[in-house]
Amino acid sequence: VQLVESGGGSVQAGGSLRLSCTASGFDFDDYVIGWFRQAPGKEREGVSCIAHSDGSTNYADSVKGRFTISSDTVKNTVYLQMSSLKPEDTAVYYCGALPDSVVAVKLGVDRPYEYEYWGQGTQVTVSS
């Protein structure tokens, strides 16, 4: 099982980045893929998640209207398009895989401890 994030980097405030999370070794359709972030000295924070069973999504209030999650089931890849970036978005971004269920997407940004698999993370730095 492997989740590999890519696309991180350094941008100015107001800029954009697109993160990718490519999965292998498990059935992509049976899982919700979520994005989380962790800044130094802070707890891991849920950002967004998507269910491949029906395409439903969820976002943290802090990123609504600025971030968009999407998936390519052929490539087993989930994308996080981040726009209007702010310095407070600076963090290591991780993707994780959560077994799909009726409530998985609704709760998926709030329960990192229920995720089964994690990637290694990619750094996003936003300068003012």
Side-chain angles (χ1 to χ4, degrees), residues 26-64:
F26 62 93
D27 194 336
F28 203 54
D29 293 337
D30 291 340
Y31 283 79
V32 167
I33 301 297
W35 283 99
F36 289 76
R37 63 188 182 187
Q38 189 164 18
K42 295 188 176 181
E43 293 186 354
R44 190 166 293 194
E45 173 192 21
V47 175
S48 183
C49 61
I50 185 167
H52 302 284
S53 56
D54 61 5
S56 57
T57 60
N58 195 8
Y59 295 90
D61 288 342
S62 59
V63 305
K64 282 181 181 176

Side-chain angles (χ1 to χ4, degrees), residues 72-93:
D72 184 331
T73 55
V74 174
K75 296 181 178 180
N76 278 8
T77 298
V78 170
Y79 303 99
L80 185 68
Q81 177 67 48
M82 305 186 296
S83 303
S84 301
L85 283 162
K86 305 175 182 179
E88 52 263 43
D89 294 318
T90 295
V92 177
Y93 283 69

Side-chain angles (χ1 to χ4, degrees), residues 85-125:
L85 283 162
K86 305 175 182 179
E88 52 263 43
D89 294 318
T90 295
V92 177
Y93 283 69
Y94 300 88
C95 66
L98 170 70
D100 200 0
S101 70
V102 175
V103 296
V105 170
K106 180 179 180 181
L107 302 177
V109 296
D110 297 322
R111 299 187 176 182
Y113 47 85
E114 294 190 357
Y115 280 67
E116 287 191 356
Y117 310 118
W118 291 97
Q120 82 289 348
T122 185
Q123 176 71 46
V124 171
T125 303

